Amino acid sequence: VKVFVEGPGLGEKTAKSTHYLDNRGFHPVWTTGSVKDAKAAFEFEVSEPELSTLVLQVWENDPVIDDFIVECFVPLPMLRDGLRAFPLIDSKGCTVQGSLLLVKTMLNPM
């Protein structure tokens, strides 16, 4: 999973990626490192959250080229602390039925 925040003064430079696990099929788990570290945690410092968006993208890990699978966009003003289920959309902008990304969020005001 590739995670970044888009907004004034931000963008691809904030991009962070999780580690992948092989052969997880329909129950994928993303991590920031080893299999023992089963939780990915990222921090972003955002100066203008009212104009920024959290972007989560799922990519296929391929030896030749990584293929885009799905993504979601969350405006930061709508984001709340806690466990959140984000619906995923494909490259055509269509919601992928039954497909969610479960994310725990914690917001710290600056």
Side-chain angles (χ1 to χ4, degrees):
V1 175
K2 183 177 176 183
V3 181
F4 57 96
V5 178
E6 290 182 330
L10 301 169
E12 288 293 322
K13 66 181 179 183
T14 67
K16 302 179 190 305
S17 295
T18 61
H19 186 267
Y20 68 92
L21 299 177
D22 286 325
N23 300 320
R24 292 299 293 187
F26 290 106
H27 182 65
V29 175
W30 292 280
T31 68
T32 54
S34 69
V35 174
K36 293 177 183 178
D37 177 26
K39 296 181 182 175
F42 301 119
E43 277 188 36
F44 298 99
E45 192 169 313
V46 181
S47 60
E48 297 186 60
E50 63 280 354
L51 300 175
S52 301
T53 302
L54 176 67
V55 181
L56 300 120
Q57 298 178 331
V58 179
W59 293 76
E60 176 187 23
N61 186 20
D62 191 321
V64 178
I65 188 168
D66 292 343
D67 297 318
F68 172 80
I69 301 174
V70 291
E71 65 187 345
C72 72
F73 302 92
V74 183
L76 291 188
M78 296 181 69
L79 199 57
R80 301 290 177 258
D81 283 345
L83 208 52
R84 302 287 175 236
F86 298 125
L88 299 170
I89 59 173
D90 62 17
S91 60
K92 297 177 184 173
C94 299
T95 300
V96 179
Q97 295 298 317
S99 179
L100 300 168
L101 195 57
L102 192 61
V103 177
K104 182 177 181 181
T105 60
M106 292 186 298
L107 304 174
N108 297 318
M110 291 174 49

